[in-house]
Amino acid sequence: VRISILDHALTKVNQLGWTPAAIEQAATDLGYSPMALASRDGMPLIDHFMDRALDETCIEADDQLHEFDTPIDRIRFLCRVRLRQTRPYIRRWPEAAALLAQPGNVRVAMGQLSTLVSRMWYLAGDQSTQIDWHAKRSMLAAAYVASELYMCEDTSADFSATWQFLDRRIENMQGIEHTANMAQNFGNQFSRNLFNILASRGYISQ
C-alpha cells in the first residue's frame, strides 16, 4: 500500500509539490484514507523518489555501461542518467532540496547521497584504496549536487547547459589529488554548502 500511494503521489508533485497534500491526494485517488500515510512534511515522498530514481538509474545503466571504456566516462554517463530521473520534477526540486537541507533531515540526505555515489563508483568499476574510496565519493557527491542545483535554474534547450556544467565538474575530478583530508568532515561541509547555496537562491531563509 505504501509503495503504491507514494508512486501515485509522484504524479501529484508538479501540482502540489513535495508535500503531505500530494501524499494525501494520492491516497484518496487510490481509495484509501487521506491519512493512510500521515506525514508532517514531504520527506517520505522525497525519500521514495530517490530510492526509485537510483533503482531506475541502475536498470538503465546495466544495458549501456559496457559502451564506455573508462570509469570516469561511466561516472559521467551515470550522473546524466540519474539527473534525467529528476528532470520531470526539476522546477519543484528546490523545494525538495530545501527540505533535505534542514538539520533534522540531513541524515537522510547524506544517507541517500552516500548510497548514490557509492553505487555509481561500484557500477563504474572503481577499485580504490580506502583513502581514495572516501575522497572519490566526496568529490562525486559535490559534483552531482552542484549539477542538480544548476539544473534547477537551467533554461537551455534539453538542459544542454547542465550537461556542459556536469562535464566540467567531472573533468575537474580527474585533476584533483586524492587525499584523506578531502574526505574529512564531508557531511558537515556538504550540509553547510547546500544550505548556503539554497539560501543564496532564495529557496530558504538564513
Side-chain angles (χ1 to χ4, degrees), residues 106-169:
V106 167
R107 184 175 61 84
V108 173
M110 288 302 303
Q112 285 284 359
L113 186 59
S114 176
T115 299
L116 173 64
V117 297
S118 293
R119 187 71 63 84
M120 282 183 174
W121 276 116
Y122 173 78
L123 292 172
D126 179 57
Q127 296 180 344
S128 299
T129 64
Q130 184 174 1
I131 291 176
D132 276 355
W133 191 93
H134 289 290
K136 283 184 174 181
R137 278 148 185 78
S138 295
M139 288 187 292
L140 178 55
Y144 180 83
V145 170
S147 299
E148 192 170 61
L149 292 175
Y150 186 95
M151 193 180 197
C152 291
E153 298 183 344
D154 185 4
T155 57
S156 63
D158 199 30
F159 295 98
S160 60
T162 294
W163 309 136
Q164 294 170 10
F165 180 90
L166 171 65
D167 287 346
R168 292 193 296 272
R169 302 287 79 74

Side-chain angles (χ1 to χ4, degrees), residues 1-177:
V1 172
R2 175 184 174 83
I3 298 299
S4 61
I5 291 175
L6 291 174
D7 276 345
H8 189 57
L10 289 175
T11 69
K12 308 294 181 182
V13 166
N14 285 324
Q15 177 187 0
L16 299 173
W18 302 93
T19 62
I23 301 173
E24 292 167 8
Q25 185 60 58
T28 300
D29 287 352
L30 296 176
Y32 300 109
S33 163
M35 302 307 293
L37 288 181
S39 175
R40 62 181 178 80
D41 58 26
M43 280 302 298
L45 184 54
I46 296 169
D47 199 35
H48 174 72
F49 163 72
M50 296 175 85
D51 286 342
R52 181 74 75 197
L54 178 56
D55 289 343
E56 294 295 329
T57 297
C58 293
I59 291 170
E60 182 174 342
D62 187 53
D63 293 332
Q64 301 181 56
L65 275 178
H66 67 277
E67 300 174 9
F68 302 92
D69 295 328
T70 66
I72 204 70
D73 287 336
R74 295 181 196 119
I75 285 295
R76 181 183 291 105
F77 169 72
L78 287 163
C79 284
R80 285 191 173 217
V81 173
R82 175 58 184 82
L83 286 168
R84 285 199 296 267
Q85 301 295 326
T86 306
R87 184 162 58 179
Y89 315 103
I90 198 62
R91 302 309 171 207
R92 288 285 196 171
W93 191 247
E95 301 169 16
L99 275 173
L100 289 165
Q102 292 181 5
N105 298 328
V106 167
R107 184 175 61 84
V108 173
M110 288 302 303
Q112 285 284 359
L113 186 59
S114 176
T115 299
L116 173 64
V117 297
S118 293
R119 187 71 63 84
M120 282 183 174
W121 276 116
Y122 173 78
L123 292 172
D126 179 57
Q127 296 180 344
S128 299
T129 64
Q130 184 174 1
I131 291 176
D132 276 355
W133 191 93
H134 289 290
K136 283 184 174 181
R137 278 148 185 78
S138 295
M139 288 187 292
L140 178 55
Y144 180 83
V145 170
S147 299
E148 192 170 61
L149 292 175
Y150 186 95
M151 193 180 197
C152 291
E153 298 183 344
D154 185 4
T155 57
S156 63
D158 199 30
F159 295 98
S160 60
T162 294
W163 309 136
Q164 294 170 10
F165 180 90
L166 171 65
D167 287 346
R168 292 193 296 272
R169 302 287 79 74
I170 299 299
E171 290 299 322
N172 289 342
M173 286 172 53
Q174 298 186 83
I176 299 177
E177 182 179 359

